[in-house]
Amino acid sequence: MRFMTTPDNAAETPAEAPDDTAPAATGVAAQDWDTASADPHYRAAVVDLLGALAYGELAAFERLAEDAKLAPTLSDKAELAKMASAEFHHFERLRDRLAAVGAEPTQAMEPFVAALDGFHKQTAPSDWLEGLVKAYVGDSIASDFYREVAARLDSDTRGLVLAVLDDTGHAGFAIEKVRAAIDADPRVGGRLALWARRLMGEALSQSQRVVADRDALSTMLVGGVADGFDLAEVGRMFSRITEAHTKRMAALGLAA
């Protein structure tokens, strides 16, 4: 997934917009990094999170560069190249942050390489349109997950995570191209809908497996380190992610 990455801040996913009515942050979410990182378990969870994000951004850069080879026009190639460059800059910010907090970036990323590479191998697109849907739908699922976690992070880490999840432009680009393709040949819609459903299943499975394999991350999610998460909330979190996926499918003109 960015575990994938190209987040979507488009209007069709209002859950991602800032909530001015949200209660004031408490606990870890109200602390800065220097204060929160005094807890070694919290620090380990954040290093894991940043490591996963960093490798996801690096993989997204590589994938977008590969997708550019499938682009039908020079203009499309240039757009994807610009997005790939933005993903690499996100990776650099995460790498530098890991180093700044005393973690070795390569070591922090290493635990997530097999899972993320496995996901991308299992979901390799067969054409240009499948690549667009994968980046938009698949990456956005991961972005939703990270945004959910970010709400429970210290203020410094939260700001960084949200910054690297900024939309690189892929959302609007994918919607425009996929809708145009479906208008030109409605049969394309059925094939891409099946593909998107497969991506959804693979993405959620990979997310759950990676979290389960990393004690610090799983502890964060169920409330042992960060604020507000319990097992029931984890279930609600994945329900919200599923609902956002349905909205993205509609934006693409596809059936969920």
Side-chain angles (χ1 to χ4, degrees), residues 121-197:
K121 183 177 181 180
Q122 293 167 10
T123 58
S126 62
D127 61 20
W128 157 251
L129 291 173
E130 287 189 1
L132 288 178
V133 171
K134 179 179 177 179
Y136 176 55
V137 172
D139 290 358
S140 294
I141 294 167
S143 296
D144 286 344
F145 171 78
Y146 289 128
R147 284 192 176 90
E148 292 274 357
V149 175
R152 278 77 180 179
L153 298 173
D154 67 272
S155 58
D156 297 317
T157 304
R158 181 170 63 249
L160 173 62
V161 169
L162 293 178
V164 300
L165 293 178
D166 277 348
D167 184 13
T168 60
H170 213 130
F173 184 77
I175 291 170
E176 176 188 353
K177 298 298 180 180
V178 170
R179 280 189 169 274
I182 294 172
D183 288 342
D185 182 359
R187 294 173 299 178
V188 169
R191 173 172 66 86
L192 294 180
L194 288 173
W195 171 243
R197 285 195 284 273

Side-chain angles (χ1 to χ4, degrees), residues 20 52-53 74 80 85 88 95 104 111 126 132 171 174 189-191 198 210 213 215 219 228 237 247:
D20 294 335
L53 262 174
L74 287 175
L80 287 183
S85 176
F88 190 76
R95 178 200 63 197
E104 204 290 311
S126 62
L132 288 178
R191 173 172 66 86
R198 178 186 168 194
V210 169
D213 288 344
D215 289 343
T219 301
M237 176 186 74
K247 293 177 182 178

Side-chain angles (χ1 to χ4, degrees), residues 3 17 33-34 49-50 53 60 92-93 95 124 148 162 181 196 209 238 242:
F3 249 18
W33 169 255
D34 289 340
L49 183 68
L50 297 183
L53 262 174
E92 290 180 314
R93 290 189 65 179
R95 178 200 63 197
E148 292 274 357
L162 293 178
R209 279 197 292 269
F238 281 108
T242 301

